[in-house]
């Protein structure tokens, strides 16, 4: 059988080939809530304050209506400019009968409205007030965080009052990378996959309006003052047994059993691709090698591969591929969205280079991108 060499391309040519061989599809589905409230939204028999909660419909690993077991609440009376603390970081726990309890029980104040702020997990806010921007460090990306606001509520003394029902939203974006190779004549061996140059710290501000309303500018939390760019490791091969061989079935790099893997919950942020992977560009870095399946001949990297695409310190003599996180359809991650990047690595004899398959973006709302 005649074998051929695969040459990697410089990034300018990569961009031209990408426009020729890469299709991008983005799927956005409206997030849902569960119609039947399993958390016991019954009417209270007195003017005590009771709680119930649900979250946006989500995927495995996320905080959901079914798996949330506790959340914390701050509440305030008075005006926006002069608030008075009414409930101070109270922990609300779910019982075996799917109702929510806390102590000591509080009662609706007479002739005053109450603004409620809820969040999970408890460690998120610490000693901070939800009335001010809350600092948060999203690294290493293993924690989902949710928030809810139910403002301007009034109870009536001596009559039954409905529960305060929190409609939680996700504060972070979720990112998954899937990889495959559909050319059975190739053996693509992946050693490292890293999300590069992403902001990890910032301040979150609770919205002033109710999160139970349809998504709008005033009822979605905001991130600001983002800083501290770092890399998030999805996979690293410490020895030959950790090397991933791609197949026609996409491998979820966030579900391969690595202690460094797992879904990544990332701070919503602007994504940059200006310098083809240099400077402040945000991208997926893939270290891999490509072999001929039948002969075992290493096809890429090779003597024609540009130095910037060769990893000099690699144990396996790998090259590096860079896939931009920003696409023609979106240039930033938004909270409550799940972005799924599907990368297909194949060869193309006519182009004489590695061909890139489709990245997809999938939420919590789902968005999908394909590199091919």
């Amino acid at each position: 059988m005649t074998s051929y060499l695969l040459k990697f391309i410089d990034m300018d040519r990569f961009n031209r080939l990408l426009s020729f061989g890469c299709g991008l599809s983005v799927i956005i589905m409206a997030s849902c809530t569960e119609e039947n409230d399993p958390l016991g939204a019954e009417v209270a028999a007195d003017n005590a304050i009771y709680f119930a909660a649900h979250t946006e419909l989500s995927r495995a690993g996320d905080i959901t209506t079914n798996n949330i077991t506790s959340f914390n609440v701050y509440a305030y009376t008075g005006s926006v400019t002069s608030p008075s603390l009414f409930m101070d970081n109270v922990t609300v726990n779910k019982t075996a009968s799917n109702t929510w309890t806390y102590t000591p029980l509080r009662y609706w104040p007479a002739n005053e409205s109450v603004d409620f702020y809820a969040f999970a997990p408890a460690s998120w806010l610490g000693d901070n007030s939800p009335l001010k921007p809350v600092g948060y460090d999203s690294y290493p990306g293993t924690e989902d965080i949710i928030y809810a606001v139910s403002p301007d509520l009034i109870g009536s003394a001596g009559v039954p009052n409905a529960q305060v029902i929190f409609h939680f939203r996700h504060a972070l974006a979720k990112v998954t990378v899937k990889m495959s190779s559909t050319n059975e004549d190739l053996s693509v061996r992946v050693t490292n996959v890293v999300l590069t140059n992403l902001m990890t710290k910032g301040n979150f501000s609770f919205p002033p309006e109710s999160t139970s309303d349809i998504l709008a500018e005033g009822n979605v939390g905001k991130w600001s003052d983002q800083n501290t760019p770092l890399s998030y490791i999805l996979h690293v091969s410490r020895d030959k047994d950790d090397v991933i061989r791609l197949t026609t079935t996409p491998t979820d790099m966030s579900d391969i059993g690595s202690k460094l893997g797992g879904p990544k919950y990332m701070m919503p942020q602007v994504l940059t691709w200006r310098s083809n992977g240099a400077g402040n560009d945000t991208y997926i870095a893939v270290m891999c090698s490509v072999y001929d399946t039948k002969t075992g001949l290493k096809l890429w990297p090779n003597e024609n591969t540009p130095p910037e695409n060769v990893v000099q310190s690699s144990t396996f003599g790998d090259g590096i591929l860079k896939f931009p996180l920003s696409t023609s359809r979106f240039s930033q991650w938004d909270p409550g969205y799940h972005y799924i990047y599907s990368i297909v690595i194949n060869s193309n004899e006519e182009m004489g280079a590695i061909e890139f398959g489709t990245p997809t973006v999938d939420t919590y709302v789902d968005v999908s991108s394909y590199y091919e």
Side-chain angles (χ1 to χ4, degrees):
M1 173 181 177
T2 302
S3 63
Y4 54 91
L5 293 180
L6 286 154
K7 295 184 295 182
F8 191 60
I9 49 181
D10 63 84
M11 294 312 297
D12 287 334
R13 189 180 176 207
F14 165 76
N15 288 333
R16 293 196 296 274
L17 293 179
L18 199 61
S19 65
F20 174 82
C22 171
L24 171 65
S25 64
V26 179
I27 304 170
I28 303 178
M29 300 187 295
S31 63
C32 305
T33 55
E34 299 183 17
E35 293 297 329
N36 57 327
D37 184 0
L39 304 180
E42 73 273 6
V43 175
D46 51 30
N47 73 324
I49 299 174
Y50 296 93
F51 297 110
H54 64 74
T55 74
E56 297 168 315
L57 185 63
S58 303
R59 301 297 191 272
D62 310 332
I63 299 175
T64 69
T65 298
N66 290 328
N67 67 25
I68 184 173
T69 59
S70 68
F71 57 85
N72 283 53
V73 175
Y74 281 90
Y76 299 86
T77 58
S79 65
V80 174
T81 56
S82 183
S84 178
L85 185 63
F86 181 69
M87 299 182 74
D88 186 4
N89 201 11
V90 172
T91 300
V92 183
N93 294 298
K94 185 164 65 174
T95 69
S97 59
N98 283 339
T99 58
W100 295 92
T101 62
Y102 66 96
T103 58
L105 199 61
R106 297 301 305 269
Y107 294 83
W108 290 97
N111 304 317
E112 284 192 280
S113 63
V114 184
D115 296 333
F116 295 92
Y117 299 84
F119 60 95
S123 57
W124 175 18
L125 261 65
D127 296 329
N128 295 295
S129 164
L131 299 184
K132 297 180 179 179
V134 178
Y136 184 74
D137 186 347
S138 62
Y139 196 84
T142 57
E143 180 179 67
D144 185 18
I145 58 177
I146 58 174
Y147 67 95
V149 178
S150 292
D152 201 29
L153 299 184
I154 299 175
S156 301
V159 299
N161 291 289
Q163 289 175 312
V164 177
I165 301 177
F166 289 116
H167 299 259
F168 283 96
R169 288 185 178 156
H170 298 277
L172 301 174
K174 184 179 177 181
V175 178
T176 295
V177 175
K178 296 181 179 181
M179 297 187 65
S180 64
S181 177
T182 58
N183 188 337
E184 296 182 354
D185 292 330
L186 296 181
S187 175
V188 181
R189 305 175 190 180
V190 177
T191 54
N192 292 346
V193 182
V194 179
L195 303 175
T196 303
N197 244 356
L198 292 160
M199 297 299 177
T200 59
K201 296 181 180 179
N203 293 325
F204 179 83
S205 297
F206 281 72
E209 300 174 14
S210 173
T211 53
S212 65
D213 296 333
I214 295 174
L215 286 172
E217 181 70 20
N219 59 36
V220 176
K222 306 295 183 185
W223 289 95
S224 61
D225 303 320
Q226 293 159 316
N227 60 83
T228 315
L230 292 173
S231 294
Y232 290 78
I233 298 175
L234 291 178
H235 174 71
V236 59
S237 298
R238 293 186 172 88
D239 56 49
K240 60 182 180 62
D241 293 331
D242 290 334
V243 175
I244 298 173
R245 298 195 180 194
L246 300 184
T247 67
T248 56
T249 301
T251 298
D252 187 344
M253 294 296 166
S254 62
D255 189 30
I256 55 177
S258 170
K259 292 181 180 178
L260 295 172
K264 294 300 179 186
Y265 299 96
M266 317 289 291
M267 187 181 303
Q269 59 192 275
V270 173
L271 304 170
T272 304
W273 184 255
R274 299 191 186 110
S275 308
N276 298 326
N280 295 324
D281 283 356
T282 55
Y283 57 89
I284 305 167
V286 178
M287 284 176 55
C288 65
S289 295
V290 182
Y291 297 82
D292 184 282
T293 301
K294 293 182 179 179
T295 66
L297 177 67
K298 189 172 187 176
L299 303 177
W300 186 89
N302 55 52
E303 67 275 9
N304 298 312
T305 303
E308 62 267 24
N309 298 119
V310 177
V311 184
Q312 299 295 340
S313 60
S314 170
T315 302
F316 304 96
D318 290 329
I320 186 168
L321 308 177
K322 298 179 180 180
F323 301 90
L325 290 167
S326 174
T327 76
S328 60
R329 298 295 297 275
F330 59 90
S331 58
Q332 67 180 39
W333 288 335
D334 290 321
Y337 284 77
H338 183 188
Y339 296 87
I340 300 177
Y341 293 86
S342 296
I343 300 172
V344 183
I345 299 180
N346 287 327
S347 69
N348 184 303
E349 291 184 83
E350 183 180 350
M351 285 199 275
I354 289 182
E355 177 189 2
F356 298 94
T358 313
T360 51
V361 184
D362 182 84
T363 184
Y364 313 140
V365 178
D366 288 335
V367 187
S368 296
S369 304
Y370 278 91
Y371 286 113
E372 187 171 27

